[in-house]
Amino acid sequence: MERAYRLVHGLVGIVLEWKQATDDQRQWLIVVRNFDHAQHLAVRFLAELARRAASDSRIDVVIQTDRDTSAMASFPPDMKAIPRDVQLSVITSPPIDAATAEVIAASDDTVLELHFPRLLQYYRDRQNSFAAAQLALRVLAVYNRRGYYHEAKSLLPTILPHFDLLVDGDQSKRMNSVSEINSCLVASGDGEQALRTVRALTDQYITEPHLLANINYIFAMHHLRYLDAKDTESAEHCLLLAKDYLRTLDDHPTAGEHAFLKAFIDNGLAFLRIRQKRHQEAFDLCRLAYESVTHDLGESRHLLHRSVLQYNMAQVHVMLGQLEEALECYRAAIAMDPFYAEYHAESGSILEQLGRDADAIDQYTQALEYSPPYPGVYLRKATCHARREEWQDALTCSGICLELTPDQPELHAARAEIFAELGQTDAALAEYDRAIAMTDDSVAMRVNRAVLHYNNGAYEQALADMDEVIARDSQNPNHYENRAAIYQAIDRQDLHQRDLSMAEHFKEAA
């Protein structure tokens, strides 16, 4: 899901850079028809485009909606709205014919993703609900791989009425489809519905031991991760039952086909052991699972899945404080899947903990190269640059992070400190203004802003900040000493002495 959100920011960036590249000084107006039917990522894209374009890009986003004024209050302030009854020219895609429908249906996932809405509408127009369900199930799997979980979930009303016919008595197909449905539900935050749906679609239908093992693994993950009420005892019962089902296949000719299932069940058990604070057992389970898969399948096969097992081992090493060992696991994972940005980002975090900021910056740079805009990594990279006193790089990275994720008062405050270090007082004050507007109760930020105002000779503004600070934190002697200095600067000796006395009083009380 996070990667899908980063894709949204990448698309917004394309639009903004396109506008800039055309050197078109005119105002652009983007009108969104049928906004009330937009799905999760489309709404997020339009909101982020409206927000990021609002400052200086000369792009307005206008949505056409039937929603009332109270509902509109939840939309970003930069997004404008017009009623649905306003007449607009309508752009429609022409309906497809039978030959085109056949071509789209036979296409690979990339072509299908581009054109499936027209194909879905083609089936619906002909009241062929089964063909629509077949298509929706296929697209659901594509969307899950992309991280478009809410969009995948929206296909379930088309799929579920025909589910039994779609799997046609094939237990493996049923299990694979149930796993896909479970994935989109839990990833979109609906664990309770996911568990109900899995039970309804598998109870009394699944009898093969390896599939029962898979179901119990899914149940365990619900109890450990996805349900509001976590239940480690039920999770352990399900995981041990899953291992028992697989153990019945040890002498079966198909035993080797279930190597990954066994490995991920053991990794699930390792996750449980971590929750139980049995960290060494967790690591041993991860290590043995990886060694078993590698032995059964070879060093050069299934690199993607095996890199995930290395990642799991790295996570346990971190929990045990074994940072160098964790780095080795990440290096192994990167060797198998070198373009997975998260491995580089996690490596950078460990390098930071080891005090190796230059190496961390290298890893963060790789993560940014292999990912759409990645706000968390920009933040970590900015922090590393700041520790190395590479102020301009720190400002650049933190500025990008704030453009992507604006509600970060502490980051504005950090940027203020950098500007103050560079002697750019006005820029520092502007950053403190933004930070304090977001978190009005911050005493430290107001104190720092007061110091800047004082050094700038703006005594009234400094005094206003310190008055507010003392109103919020009235027993700190340092605040009175700071305000006393301001009173002295404006030649109010009576108030200067009063605050010095108050400072002494609270020092004695402490």
Side-chain angles (χ1 to χ4, degrees), residues 180-202:
E180 294 285 4
I181 291 170
N182 180 68
S183 292
C184 72
L185 287 170
V186 297
S188 59
D190 204 345
E192 303 289 342
Q193 182 186 347
L195 184 58
R196 290 194 301 270
T197 303
V198 170
R199 290 194 184 281
L201 296 180
T202 59

Side-chain angles (χ1 to χ4, degrees), residues 274-288:
I274 289 169
R275 288 283 180 88
Q276 296 170 329
K277 310 298 183 184
R278 294 157 65 176
H279 292 137
Q280 189 57 51
E281 287 182 57
F283 175 74
D284 290 341
L285 282 163
C286 290
R287 177 179 56 80
L288 291 172

